[in-house]
Amino acid sequence: MDASMILQIKPELTQFLHQFDGYFGRVTTRRYLDLYVEGQLGPLPRKSLEPIADAFGEPPRNLQEFLGLFHWDEQGVRDELQQYVARRHDSPHSVGVFDETSFVKKGNQTACVQRQYCGAVGKKENCVVSVHLGYATPEFFSLIDGEVFLPEETWDQDRDRCRAAGIPQDVVYRPKWQMALEQYQRAVANGVRFAWLTFDEGYGGKGPLLRALEAGGQNYVAEVPVNFPVWTRRPTIQYHAPVRDRHHGRRRTTSEGQEQSQSRGAERLGLFAAAAENPLGDVSRQRRRQGSHGLASQAYAGLSARRTGLPTRPYHLLVARNVLDPNEVKYFISNAPESTAVATLAAGSLHPLDYRAGLRGQ
């Protein structure tokens, strides 16, 4: 976005930002919100505090204090934004995305920094990771929530280090999937509705997340690891017979966790084997997508599978192959209704950078 475009949208941008006035205790504090947002939108090659402050003739310390020291209601701003999105951008084709952002950092003083997988460089690196919830329709996209991930051993278990870095006592370690689920629940409480949720295998492989979304009636298309176990045919369920408690004479039955699924006429398979064993019918049209590693073309095919454990309803197993690199294959599980077309599921499985284009193609 260049300077001329910033000037064109500035009246609307100012009006939009005014709805957050009540969440800032002082007018001087609120003033820096305009400067910071305009700096992030503008053509500056670097979006850090010093270049933004220099562009507006402000001492860098003022913006540093705005972000790090001034008191304002961050949760109120987040809720107001989500309610605005719910009012203005509700859509029957909306897609929510759980995703991560990582920032390479030197040293060990920055809050939540540690050596961990860093998506920005594609390997383990000293970095900070944050978990985000995005919202998209064919005409609109916005991040509507986000939190920094607090590593368990190096930070949560060292509260002195947390205090030194300014991390409040009530901020504790939570698995990333749990952070994502809480962000989804907050958005829903603020009126945001998602026709679909999608996320990569770091979240799709977490059974508690999938069960929680399904319990709330949320349709999802979840990328899952290649070793994610499924049934390709419904197995026979064998329940343990009631047994007598020898101490009290009462008969007891086994809990659900003790019930056993036996593979009579069905085989428990990983996704690769399941896809290889079954003919992949109902192939969707290929999609061109522009990702972080250049242009690729995806072909999608689907079959029916059941998640292991106590198999209930069938799920969609979606297989996506990079036509330009046949060795690149991704697998997705969806709880969508059985009649859902593969092309519809494919739109929800696109990488977060590309799914708006996929939605437009429907």
Side-chain angles (χ1 to χ4, degrees), residues 110-362:
T110 302
C112 302
V113 68
Q114 76 164 11
R115 186 170 177 79
Q116 56 193 318
Y117 180 77
C118 179
V121 295
K123 62 180 181 179
K124 280 193 171 183
E125 185 58 85
N126 207 54
C127 67
V128 174
V129 175
S130 53
V131 177
H132 299 272
L133 172 62
Y135 177 88
T137 72
E139 298 80 26
F140 174 81
F141 169 74
S142 176
L143 292 177
I144 58 174
D145 207 342
E147 297 174 277
V148 176
F149 170 68
L150 182 74
E152 184 173 19
E153 295 183 3
T154 56
W155 283 92
D156 184 59
Q157 296 179 11
D158 188 348
R159 300 313 300 189
D160 290 337
R161 187 184 186 191
C162 288
R163 280 191 293 272
I167 299 174
Q169 187 67 21
D170 59 348
V171 176
V172 297
Y173 164 78
R174 290 163 297 153
K176 293 175 184 176
W177 69 263
Q178 186 175 332
M179 296 172 64
L181 178 60
E182 290 171 0
Q183 291 179 18
Y184 163 79
Q185 291 169 337
R186 284 196 295 262
V188 170
N190 281 318
V192 181
R193 297 293 179 263
F194 305 94
W196 300 92
L197 276 183
T198 187
F199 33 91
D200 66 23
E201 65 179 64
Y203 298 85
K206 308 304 181 184
L209 174 61
L210 300 184
R211 288 192 292 271
L213 294 175
E214 196 157 345
Q218 177 62 60
N219 285 338
Y220 60 76
V221 182
E223 183 184 355
V224 288
V226 67
N227 60 353
F228 190 86
V230 295
W231 303 102
T232 54
R233 293 176 297 281
R234 182 181 177 86
T236 302
I237 307 299
Q238 182 183 56
Y239 297 91
H240 287 186
V243 296
R244 185 174 299 279
D245 189 314
R246 62 180 179 178
H247 297 293
H248 302 286
R250 293 196 301 269
R251 294 170 66 83
R252 60 183 176 85
T253 57
T254 55
S255 66
E256 182 177 290
Q258 294 171 299
E259 295 167 350
Q260 305 226 345
S261 300
Q262 290 194 342
S263 55
R264 296 176 182 172
E267 186 179 358
R268 182 178 185 272
L269 299 172
L271 295 184
F272 180 81
E277 183 185 81
N278 291 266
L280 295 178
D282 194 15
V283 178
S284 77
R285 65 184 182 276
Q286 296 180 8
R287 296 181 181 278
R288 303 289 289 183
R289 57 174 287 262
Q290 179 68 51
S292 57
H293 300 290
L295 196 64
S297 184
Q298 302 280 60
Y300 294 85
L303 56 92
S304 180
R306 285 177 168 83
R307 291 170 53 191
T308 57
L310 285 176
T312 53
R313 47 158 293 178
Y315 290 75
H316 295 272
L317 167 59
L318 191 67
V319 183
R321 185 182 299 277
N322 185 342
V323 176
L324 304 181
D325 181 5
N327 293 322
E328 182 183 328
V329 181
K330 292 185 177 183
Y331 300 91
F332 301 83
I333 286 287
S334 176
N335 65 336
E338 289 187 66
S339 59
T340 306
V342 169
T344 301
L345 298 174
S349 72
L350 294 174
H351 185 277
L353 294 175
D354 315 306
Y355 60 129
R356 282 182 65 203
L359 286 170
R360 290 195 185 101
Q362 291 305 304

